[in-house]
């Protein structure tokens, strides 16, 4: 299709998706078609994906699995526009986020601060504003009475700063605060707060106000803020933005409001002309439409060439599966990965089509996975390779039927560590040693920190399995001394107020955490070959673990754990504790991602070569 007649499918946030399609269609030669999330519209969107040049998802982390997979098979780009709250949702689902990264989406953000937040999640995005506003030709004078406009929609009023708005309103009882957004009036609101509900006359509401007050927990480039500025109204917002009064909390907002209110009472408050001029210079519709059209054109021109070769369906534990797919894409070889996703019916349907087109199915930590995919694989005679990671063996022990199926000659087994191989052998299953690839690209041995620092991993689920009680006890015991604690993973735990504890939450990369840590403590009831252990050793850090491994101090009881940690602390206090440089060299030479992937790919080759019957032919799309 010629460049002047290109088209794209738009999915995602309904209001903004329609807005974007109208904007681009009005001012560029691209033709965008918006589809909503209903069943009929989703079916139409899938049909559209067969004939468009690109897909746009207004809202991260991207379109649904079926559209993403079809775009991947057609080798057309997917452009994701991150808007604000979708970044928070991505933070809460790191497994899905890691899988999505491997699709190679083009990521842009409508808010400059979101670029930094996405970078912390390992997503490289460019700032490309798409919320366009035409400033008014004639400024309406500020109203005679000082009025405040704010947006508090149900059911997310708390997220949009309801408590702060009521506190500020109580500080100005003589001022009317007008709340727009779906929902009934709140009886606990101060009497000067008026609830208008959902409105269709927002420009008139803005003109009738003096100030827009916006204090959400998190925000993107607010269209309402731009509209208020375009109409020369004053804005109090908790983000740094030209011609806006920034207020990070209610006390700062009250201070900013007081200055505006006093100036208004004295007759000195003028319309916010600098705000209107800034919007006029940077956010006109034609200007922003042209910039986004350039993004679409670049995405089409720069899309990578789809590789040929054997295809492997990859499924299982999200973080591990995503890392394998990432390494395959980074080190192109004769195997091309197709990630399988099974969290919804649509994902399963798309994954079934992907499985049909693959030569082999490789799963990590989930021997059966989705039963519909399992049945399809058996019907097609797909060879299987199962990678055991440790915790999944408990389920295997409990199921005699699963054990019988795993002994099928069509199924080949891999395990990360020698002790996992021994556990499988006791169940009559033979496995080959093949570690999963750790993330060592950013590994370097830095000096140990001046403050003795302990790093823990505690996920959001199964906290006790991962040592929560032992970690809480360690923190209580060592907090009187000069010890710092880092906890990654987002799990809940108790720490006394005096403890020097940093809750780092989920992190895509732990390179900085390793660099600022002295020792990694991993106290699990059962474990495979911990990738965090390999990564910590690659950074030259000390490791206390419940498993036997080179350069690791094994600790089987809490008492042994506490004593080992105290010995390291005492060595640190004497100035004798140094990085484990030899451990870093050992990991670099024995567990490089390339070596790990070569072992895994060799197992795929063997499984394909020893399959009694060949799989059915692929289905082209």
């Amino acid at each position: 299709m010629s460049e002047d007649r290109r088209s794209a499918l738009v999915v995602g946030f309904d209001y903004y998706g329609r807005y974007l399609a109208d904007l681009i269609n009005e001012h560029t030669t691209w033709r965008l078609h918006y589809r909503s999330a209903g069943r009929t519209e989703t079916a139409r969107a899938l049909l559209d994906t067969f004939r468009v040049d690109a897909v746009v998802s207004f809202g991260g982390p991207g379109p649904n699995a079926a559209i993403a997979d079809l775009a991947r098979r057609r080798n057309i780009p997917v452009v994701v526009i991150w808007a604000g709250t979708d970044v928070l949702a991505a933070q809460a689902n790191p497994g899905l986020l890691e899988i999505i990264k491997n699709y190679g989406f083009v990521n842009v953000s409508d808010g400059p601060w979101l670029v930094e937040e996405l970078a912390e999640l390992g997503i490289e995005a460019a700032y490309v504003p798409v919320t366009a506003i035409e400033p008014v030709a004639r400024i309406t004078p500020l109203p005679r009475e000082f009025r405040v406009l704010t947006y508090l929609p149900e059911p997310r009023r708390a997220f949009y700063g309801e408590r702060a708005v009521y506190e500020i309103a109580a500080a100005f009882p003589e001022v009317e605060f007008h709340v727009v957004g779906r929902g009934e009036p709140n009886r606990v609101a101060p009497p000067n707060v008026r609830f208008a509900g959902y409105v269709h006359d927002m420009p008139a509401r803005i003109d009738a106000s003096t100030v827009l007050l916006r204090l959400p927990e998190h925000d993107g480039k607010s269209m309402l803020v731009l509209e208020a500025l375009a109409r020369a109204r004053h804005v109090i917002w908790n983000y740094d933005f030209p011609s806006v009064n920034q207020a990070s909390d209610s006390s700062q907002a009250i201070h900013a409001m007081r200055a505006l209110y006093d100036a208004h009472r004295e007759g000195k408050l003028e319309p916010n002309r600098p705000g209107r001029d800034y919007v006029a210079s940077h956010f006109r519709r034609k200007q922003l439409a042209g910039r986004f059209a350039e993004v679409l054109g670049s995405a089409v021109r720069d899309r990578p060439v789809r590789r040929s070769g054997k295809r492997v369906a990859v499924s299982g534990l999200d973080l591990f599966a995503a890392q394998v797919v990432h390494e395959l894409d980074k080190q192109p070889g004769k195997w091309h990965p197709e990630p399988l996703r099974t969290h919804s019916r649509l994902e399963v349907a798309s994954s079934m089509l992907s499985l049909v087109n693959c030569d082999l199915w490789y799963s990590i930590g989930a021997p059966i996975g989705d039963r519909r995919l399992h049945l399809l694989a058996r019907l097609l005679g797909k060879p299987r390779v199962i990678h055991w990671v440790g915790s999944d063996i408990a389920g295997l022990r409990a199921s005699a039927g699963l054990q019988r199926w795993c002994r099928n000659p069509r199924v080949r087994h891999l395990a990360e560590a020698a002790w996992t191989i021994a556990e499988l052998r006791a169940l009559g299953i033979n496995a080959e040693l093949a570690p999963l690839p750790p993330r060592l690209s950013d590994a370097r041995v830095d000096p140990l920190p001046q403050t003795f620092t302990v790093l823990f991993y505690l996920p959001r689920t199964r906290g006790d399995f991962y040592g929560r009680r032992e970690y809480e006890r360690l923190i209580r015991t060592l907090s009187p001394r000069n010890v710092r604690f880092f906890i990654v993973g987002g799990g809940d735990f108790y720490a006394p107020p005096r403890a020097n504890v940093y809750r780092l939450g989920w992190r895509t990369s732990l390179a900085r955490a390793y660099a600022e840590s002295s020792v990694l403590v991993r106290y699990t009831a059962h474990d495979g070959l911990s990738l965090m252990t390999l990564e910590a050793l690659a950074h030259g850090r000390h490791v206390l673990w419940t498993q036997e491994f080179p350069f690791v101090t094994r600790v089987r009881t809490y008492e042994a754990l506490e004593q080992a940690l105290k010995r390291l602390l005492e060595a640190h206090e004497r100035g004798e504790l140094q990085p484990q440089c030899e451990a870093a060299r050992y990991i670099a030479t024995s567990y490089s991602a390339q070596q790990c992937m070569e072992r895994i790919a060799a197992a795929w080759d063997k499984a394909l070569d020893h399959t009694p019957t060949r799989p059915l032919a692929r289905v082209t799309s």
Side-chain angles (χ1 to χ4, degrees), residues 352 355 361 371-384 405 410:
M352 292 176 76
L355 182 59
W361 183 7
R371 293 193 175 274
R372 290 160 290 189
L373 285 174
H374 177 67
L375 177 60
L376 178 62
R378 295 185 65 179
L379 291 173
L380 297 175
K382 295 288 182 182
R384 291 289 306 275
W405 177 78
R410 286 182 178 274

Side-chain angles (χ1 to χ4, degrees), residues 167-177 190-194 258 261:
E167 182 180 347
I168 298 164
F172 295 88
E174 68 279 17
V175 175
E176 288 188 358
F177 283 67
N192 57 325
V193 176
R194 312 279 189 262
R258 178 66 63 188
Y261 179 61

Side-chain angles (χ1 to χ4, degrees), residues 275-573:
R276 175 189 175 279
D277 294 342
Y278 181 78
V279 170
S281 299
H282 295 83
F283 298 100
R284 288 187 178 274
R285 289 176 62 85
K286 187 174 182 179
Q287 176 187 19
L288 268 55
R291 288 185 61 181
F292 190 74
E294 291 176 1
V295 170
L296 287 174
S298 296
V300 171
R301 290 191 302 271
D302 299 339
R303 65 188 184 277
V305 177
R306 182 169 171 81
R307 301 204 316 260
S308 59
K310 291 180 288 189
R311 303 196 176 277
V312 54
V314 181
S315 69
L317 299 175
D318 287 344
L319 296 177
F320 295 149
Q323 180 65 6
V324 167
V325 172
H326 171 72
E327 291 299 335
L328 282 176
D329 283 336
K330 189 174 68 173
Q331 305 172 19
K334 56 187 176 181
W335 284 97
H336 181 78
E338 293 286 351
L340 304 185
R341 296 160 59 185
T342 58
H343 297 293
S344 70
R345 291 181 179 179
L346 190 60
E347 288 187 355
V348 171
S350 179
S351 293
M352 292 176 76
L353 180 58
S354 293
L355 182 59
V356 169
N357 286 277
C358 288
D359 299 281
L360 177 141
W361 183 7
Y362 166 73
S363 58
I364 307 171
I368 295 296
D370 184 88
R371 293 193 175 274
R372 290 160 290 189
L373 285 174
H374 177 67
L375 177 60
L376 178 62
R378 295 185 65 179
L379 291 173
L380 297 175
K382 295 288 182 182
R384 291 289 306 275
V385 174
I386 298 174
H387 210 140
W388 300 87
V389 297
S391 57
D392 43 6
I393 296 179
L396 178 63
R397 286 199 190 96
S399 174
L402 179 58
Q403 293 174 33
R404 286 192 299 272
W405 177 78
C406 286
R407 299 186 190 110
N408 188 312
R410 286 182 178 274
V411 183
R412 199 170 194 90
H413 301 275
L414 302 177
E416 290 189 283
W419 59 85
T420 309
I421 291 177
E423 292 180 66
L424 291 169
R425 188 181 300 119
L427 298 173
I429 298 169
N430 294 319
E432 300 175 45
L433 180 64
L436 285 165
R439 298 182 180 184
L440 304 182
S441 59
D442 53 5
R444 67 179 190 182
V445 180
D446 292 311
L448 297 179
Q450 293 184 352
T451 301
F452 187 79
T453 304
V454 183
L455 175 63
F456 299 134
Y457 169 67
L458 194 64
R460 292 186 176 93
T461 59
R462 305 179 71 201
D464 290 343
F465 178 90
Y466 281 92
R468 174 170 51 200
R469 295 178 182 178
E470 289 77 11
Y471 298 161
E472 289 177 342
R473 188 174 172 186
L474 276 175
I475 293 172
R476 288 196 303 270
T477 301
L478 297 178
S479 59
R481 303 177 69 169
N482 186 23
V483 179
R484 183 174 58 174
F485 301 92
F486 289 165
I487 292 87
V488 298
D492 292 328
F493 65 97
Y494 171 77
R498 67 182 183 277
N500 188 9
V501 172
Y502 292 80
R503 302 171 188 257
L504 303 182
W506 171 257
R507 296 291 178 93
T508 297
S509 171
L510 292 176
R512 184 176 177 182
Y514 292 131
E516 298 181 3
S517 298
S518 309
V519 54
L520 167 69
V521 173
R522 188 172 176 92
Y523 194 86
T524 53
H526 186 274
D527 218 343
L529 181 58
S530 161
L531 296 186
M532 277 193 71
T533 294
L534 298 183
E535 292 167 4
L537 291 173
H539 284 79
R541 272 38 200 165
H542 297 268
V543 177
L544 307 183
W545 191 20
T546 46
Q547 298 292 343
E548 188 78 38
F549 195 76
F551 301 99
V552 162
T553 299
R554 189 177 189 186
V555 288
R556 299 186 180 184
T557 66
Y558 171 78
E559 289 72 22
L561 171 61
E562 183 178 315
Q563 289 303 315
L565 197 57
K566 285 181 177 178
R567 286 194 295 270
L568 290 174
L569 174 58
E570 290 164 2
H572 171 86
E573 291 171 340

Side-chain angles (χ1 to χ4, degrees), residues 175-234:
V175 175
E176 288 188 358
F177 283 67
H178 292 261
V179 175
V180 296
R182 296 184 187 278
E184 298 296 321
N186 190 337
R187 295 180 180 178
V188 304
N192 57 325
V193 176
R194 312 279 189 262
F195 291 85
Y198 183 81
V199 300
H200 298 277
D201 58 343
M202 189 61 75
R205 300 269 175 176
I206 294 173
D207 286 344
S209 303
T210 313
V211 179
L212 170 67
L213 174 63
R214 188 174 176 92
L215 299 174
E217 294 179 7
H218 188 270
D219 215 348
K221 178 76 67 56
S222 166
M223 179 76 83
L224 185 54
V225 167
L226 293 183
E227 288 177 332
L229 292 175
R231 307 187 80 82
R233 266 38 191 172
H234 296 275

Side-chain angles (χ1 to χ4, degrees), residues 229-300:
L229 292 175
R231 307 187 80 82
R233 266 38 191 172
H234 296 275
V235 176
I236 298 175
W237 194 19
N238 49 358
Y239 283 84
D240 184 14
F241 197 76
S243 302
V244 160
N245 296 275
Q246 185 183 9
S248 59
D249 54 33
S250 56
S251 61
Q252 291 184 8
I254 290 173
H255 179 76
M257 189 79 72
R258 178 66 63 188
L260 294 171
Y261 179 61
D262 289 345
H264 184 274
R265 284 197 308 172
E266 295 169 4
K268 298 179 180 178
L269 188 64
E270 297 292 331
N272 186 3
R273 288 185 174 82
R276 175 189 175 279
D277 294 342
Y278 181 78
V279 170
S281 299
H282 295 83
F283 298 100
R284 288 187 178 274
R285 289 176 62 85
K286 187 174 182 179
Q287 176 187 19
L288 268 55
R291 288 185 61 181
F292 190 74
E294 291 176 1
V295 170
L296 287 174
S298 296
V300 171

